[in-house]
Amino acid sequence: MDIRLDRKEVSTALVFGLIFVLLGAGLFFLTWQNLRQQQEQVREHMALSAQSIGRGIEANLYRGAMRGMGGRRWADEQDFIPAAEDLLKELMQDGDVVFLGLYGPEGEEFYTSRDILPVDFRPGPEMLEKASREVWNAELVLDGQQVFVQGFPSRRMGHMRGRMLQENDPDDGYGSLFIALDMSGHLEAYSGYKRTISVQAVFTFTALFIIGLLAWGYVRKKEQGRQFVRLSSFHSRLLDNMPDGLISVNSRMEITAANPAAQELLDQNRNIVGSSLSEVLPLEIDLEQRSGWHELEMGNRSIEVLILPIGEEEDFLVLLRDRTRMRELESSLEHSRRLAAVGRFAAGLAHEIRNPLSSLKGFAQYFQQKFSGEEPASEYARTMVSEADRLNRVINDLMYLARPRSLQRVELNLADLFQEVRTLLEMDLRSGSVQLILEPGEVEVKADRDLIKQAVLNLVLNSLQASRQGGEISLGATREKDRVRIEVQDRGCGMDAATREKALEPFFSAREKGSGLGLAIVHRIVQDHGGEIEIDSMEGKGTRVALLLPDTSDG
C-alpha cells in the first residue's frame, strides 16, 4: 500500500528551513555589526590617542619654548628645535608615533619629524585647510606601513610661531598639527577579534544547525510514529472489518494471526491463534505450489481458499472467501435460465396446443350431453372434459413461466385471502378428511392479490395431496422486521434430500400425476415480488414451505 507524504511533515521541514535561514541571516548581521562597531572603536581609539598625543606635544613644546627664553621674552627657532627633537625621540621610544608635523596659519611648515621618524608625510593644501578648521583624520599607507593620520587646528602653534618670528600680530589665525600613528598593533588585535568572532559565529551557527537537525529529526520521528500508529490502526480496522477471512501462518504451520471473519468462516468459538492450520482447516493442498483458488466444503458453507507467500520468507497468508451466497445466486441464475428455456418452449407449444384443445373439449362436451345418462359413455365424456381442463391449466402455467405479467400491488389482508383459499378447497379438504388450520394474525402486505392467492393455493394443494386421511395443514402469516412470512406446513409424507434439491425445477414431480409446475410457479411469483422461498422437509415427517415477501405496506 502506498502512503503519501503527510502535509504536516512537509510544512515542518519548511518551518525548520525558514528558521535556519532567519538564524543564519541574523547571525551574519550581528557578526557584521560587531565587526563594524569594532572598527569604529579602533578608529575612535586612534583618534583619541592622536588627539591626546597632539595636545600633549603642543603643551610640552609650548612650555619648552617658554622655559628656553631665559632673559628674553621668546626663544628663537634655534632654541626651540633641539627641545622638539628631544621630545620626539621620547615619543619614538613608545613606537606609536611615526610622523609629526607642525604647520602655521598659512600652511607653512613649522616643524616636521621626517629627519627623526622614518615616515615622510606631506599634507596637501586641502588637508592643511581642513585641519586648520576642524579635526580631520584618515587611514593611509605610508612607506608600506598602514597608519592613522589626524590633523587638527592649533591656535597655540600659530601663536607660538608668530612670536618666534617676531610678528606684530601673533594671534592671527590657527596653525595645524598632523600626527600619524602606527596601526599595526590595533589591526593585529582587530584581526584576532575578527577571527575569534567569525569562529564563534560559525560555531554558533553549526551548533544551532545541529540542534535544529536534531529537533527536526525528533519532530519527524514523532510524526512518523503518529503516522505509524494511524497506519497500524487503519490496517487493524481494515483486517478486522474485511468480509474475507485472513490467516497468517509461519513456516511451522502455526497460525500467528487471524481476523474475526476467518474465525466466523471456520466456525470456531475459540481463539485459533497458536493452533496448527490443519486443526482448523481440512485443506489438502501442496503448499509448495500455492497457486490459484481452491474450493472447500465445510458444513453448509462453500469456501474458497487462496495461499500467498509473504515476500521471501517462509511464512504465508491464507485468504478465505465465503462462496455460499454466490453459489446460491449461481443456482438461482441457472434456475432462471431453465425457466426461460421452458418459457420459450411453452410460448411456442401453447399456440400449437390450445386451438386443437379447444376443439377437443368442445366435442367432449357435445358427447357428454349426447350420452347423458348412458354409462359408460357419459363417464368417458366427463373424463375427457376434465382432462382437457387440466391440460389447459398446465398451458396457462407454462404461459406464466414464459411471460410473467406485471404486478398489480395492493394492500392485501392475509386473513381474508386465507379464508378465500379455504372456501375454494373446501370440497377437496372434505373428501380427504384433512383439516386446514388458519393462523393469519393481523398481517397485511402490499402485493399482487391474484398471484399471491395462486401461490398459496398451489402450496395448500401440494400439502393436501401429500397428507394422509385425517391429517392437518396449517396456514399462517407473521411479520419479521422488514418482511412478511407466509408459511404452509403439513405432516404428510415429506421429501428426501434429492427430491428437496430439485423441488423448484419445472416439470419435476415426485407424484405420478403431477405436472411439476406448482412449486416452479410459486417460486416465480415470489421472485417477481422480490422475495425468497424456503423449503424444510423430512421424509415421513412432513414439509414446511415459507414465502418471504418484502414488507412494502404503508403501515
Side-chain angles (χ1 to χ4, degrees):
M1 181 180 294
D2 296 331
I3 304 297
R4 69 178 178 86
L5 186 63
D6 198 339
R7 292 183 178 179
K8 290 184 178 179
E9 186 175 346
V10 177
S11 61
T12 301
L14 292 177
V15 169
F16 274 99
L18 182 60
I19 290 175
F20 288 151
V21 171
L22 293 178
L23 286 176
L27 190 61
F28 174 79
F29 175 76
L30 291 177
T31 303
W32 174 80
Q33 188 73 8
N34 289 335
L35 291 176
R36 190 180 64 81
Q37 291 179 356
Q38 187 67 20
Q39 283 183 329
E40 293 295 330
Q41 290 178 0
V42 169
R43 180 182 290 273
E44 291 177 2
H45 177 72
M46 297 294 293
L48 290 175
S49 298
Q51 189 169 1
S52 298
I53 293 173
R55 296 306 180 190
I57 291 174
E58 183 183 28
N60 287 332
L61 290 178
Y62 186 78
R63 286 196 298 272
M66 294 297 294
R67 285 196 303 271
M69 288 190 305
R72 296 171 295 171
R73 185 174 182 182
W74 294 98
D76 57 14
E77 188 173 357
Q78 288 76 15
D79 295 332
F80 175 73
I81 291 175
E85 290 180 352
D86 292 339
L87 179 60
L88 293 178
K89 288 179 180 180
E90 293 179 1
L91 292 174
M92 284 180 61
Q93 295 176 357
D94 182 56
D96 288 338
V97 179
V98 296
F99 176 79
L100 177 66
L102 305 176
Y103 299 91
E106 301 297 330
E108 65 275 15
E109 187 177 286
F110 179 43
Y111 178 77
T112 64
S113 63
R114 63 175 59 96
D115 296 333
I116 302 174
L117 299 178
V119 176
D120 183 11
F121 173 67
R122 299 180 184 276
E126 185 177 353
M127 295 181 185
L128 290 172
E129 182 181 359
K130 288 182 178 180
S132 65
R133 297 195 309 269
E134 59 185 3
V135 177
W136 172 89
N137 53 50
E139 295 181 13
L140 303 176
V141 178
L142 302 179
D143 296 337
Q145 183 178 4
Q146 189 165 359
V147 297
F148 181 82
V149 179
Q150 180 165 294
F152 48 88
S154 176
R155 185 175 180 82
R156 182 175 291 182
M157 288 300 162
H159 179 75
M160 184 170 58
R161 173 68 174 169
R163 291 299 184 183
M164 292 176 61
L165 296 177
Q166 302 295 322
E167 292 179 354
N168 296 326
D169 190 4
D171 295 330
D172 187 14
Y174 288 82
S176 57
L177 175 62
F178 280 86
I179 297 177
L181 300 179
D182 184 12
M183 296 186 65
S184 59
H186 296 279
L187 292 177
E188 184 177 355
Y190 172 74
S191 298
Y193 176 78
K194 183 178 181 180
R195 286 193 300 272
T196 301
I197 197 170
S198 299
V199 171
Q200 185 179 9
V202 171
F203 176 79
T204 302
F205 182 77
T206 303
L208 290 175
F209 182 75
I210 294 175
I211 293 173
L213 283 179
L214 293 175
W216 181 65
Y218 172 77
V219 172
R220 184 179 180 184
K221 184 177 181 181
K222 190 174 181 180
E223 179 61 30
Q224 288 178 344
R226 287 195 295 266
Q227 189 177 32
F228 175 77
V229 171
R230 291 196 299 268
L231 184 59
S232 299
S233 177
F234 169 75
H235 284 171
S236 178
R237 293 195 304 270
L238 176 63
L239 295 177
D240 289 343
N241 293 282
M242 66 182 298
D244 294 337
L246 186 65
I247 299 176
S248 176
V249 183
N250 60 20
S251 58
R252 297 187 300 275
M253 302 296 293
E254 295 176 349
I255 298 175
T256 57
N259 67 344
Q263 298 270 153
E264 182 181 356
L265 287 175
L266 297 175
D267 196 18
Q268 295 290 326
N269 296 324
R270 62 184 179 89
N271 188 3
I272 63 175
V273 176
S275 303
S276 175
L277 180 63
S278 59
E279 295 179 8
V280 298
L281 191 63
L283 186 64
E284 296 180 0
I285 299 175
D286 186 2
L287 297 179
E288 296 298 329
Q289 296 180 359
R290 303 175 186 175
S291 61
W293 289 91
H294 302 270
E295 296 184 2
L296 181 65
E297 297 294 333
M298 296 186 64
N300 59 351
R301 285 184 174 179
S302 178
I303 298 176
E304 285 187 336
V305 182
L306 178 64
I307 299 177
L308 299 172
I310 303 178
E312 298 179 355
E313 302 177 2
E314 296 182 358
D315 299 349
F316 54 92
L317 295 176
V318 179
L319 188 63
L320 307 175
R321 187 166 62 187
D322 191 356
R323 291 276 298 176
T324 305
R325 179 59 178 168
M326 187 62 67
R327 290 290 177 83
E328 293 176 355
L329 293 176
E330 291 174 353
S331 177
S332 177
L333 179 59
E334 182 63 26
H335 180 72
S336 297
R337 288 175 179 172
R338 287 196 296 268
L339 287 180
V342 171
R344 289 192 296 269
F345 170 74
L349 185 63
H351 178 73
E352 298 297 331
I353 294 178
R354 184 162 282 175
N355 291 334
L357 183 63
S358 298
S359 299
L360 291 175
K361 183 180 178 180
F363 285 119
Q365 289 174 340
Y366 169 76
F367 287 119
Q368 183 181 7
Q369 292 177 0
K370 182 175 179 61
F371 297 107
S372 177
E374 298 181 15
E375 299 298 339
S378 179
E379 180 66 23
Y380 293 157
R382 286 195 300 271
T383 302
M384 292 173 61
V385 173
S386 176
E387 290 301 314
D389 290 337
R390 188 174 69 86
L391 185 58
N392 189 58
R393 287 195 299 270
V394 172
I395 293 174
N396 290 334
D397 290 341
L398 288 174
M399 291 300 295
Y400 176 76
L401 290 176
R403 291 189 297 271
R405 64 184 179 86
S406 59
L407 301 181
Q408 303 296 325
R409 294 180 183 269
V410 296
E411 289 293 335
L412 182 59
N413 188 301
L414 294 181
D416 297 339
L417 186 139
F418 290 175
Q419 190 62 44
E420 291 178 12
V421 171
R422 170 185 277 181
T423 302
L424 289 173
L425 298 177
E426 184 173 1
M427 296 300 296
D428 297 307
L429 292 171
R430 287 181 180 178
S431 62
S433 300
V434 176
Q435 184 180 2
L436 179 61
I437 303 174
L438 303 182
E439 298 176 349
E442 297 295 332
V443 180
E444 292 185 354
V445 64
K446 195 169 186 179
D448 189 298
R449 182 182 186 87
D450 293 337
L451 292 180
I452 296 300
K453 182 178 178 180
Q454 181 182 355
V456 174
L457 188 61
N458 286 358
L459 292 179
V460 175
L461 281 172
N462 286 346
S463 294
L464 180 60
Q465 294 170 0
S467 297
R468 304 179 183 91
Q469 289 287 331
E472 290 183 355
I473 301 174
S474 62
L475 174 59
T478 56
R479 189 181 301 277
E480 298 178 353
K481 294 184 179 178
D482 57 349
R483 61 184 184 178
V484 172
R485 174 186 286 265
I486 300 175
E487 193 170 275
V488 178
Q489 184 171 0
D490 62 64
R491 296 174 179 82
C493 59
M495 294 181 286
D496 57 19
T499 303
R500 186 172 60 250
E501 186 71 22
K502 298 181 179 181
L504 299 179
E505 294 184 5
F507 303 112
F508 175 81
S509 176
R511 298 191 304 271
E512 295 181 359
K513 296 184 178 181
S515 65
L517 294 176
L519 282 178
I521 295 294
V522 173
H523 189 205
R524 187 58 179 264
I525 291 173
V526 173
Q527 282 186 326
D528 291 344
H529 281 79
E532 299 176 356
I533 184 171
E534 292 181 356
I535 300 177
D536 184 14
S537 182
M538 184 176 295
E539 193 172 6
K541 299 293 184 179
T543 302
R544 179 180 58 83
V545 180
L547 309 182
L548 305 177
L549 304 176
D551 184 10
T552 58
S553 60
D554 298 335

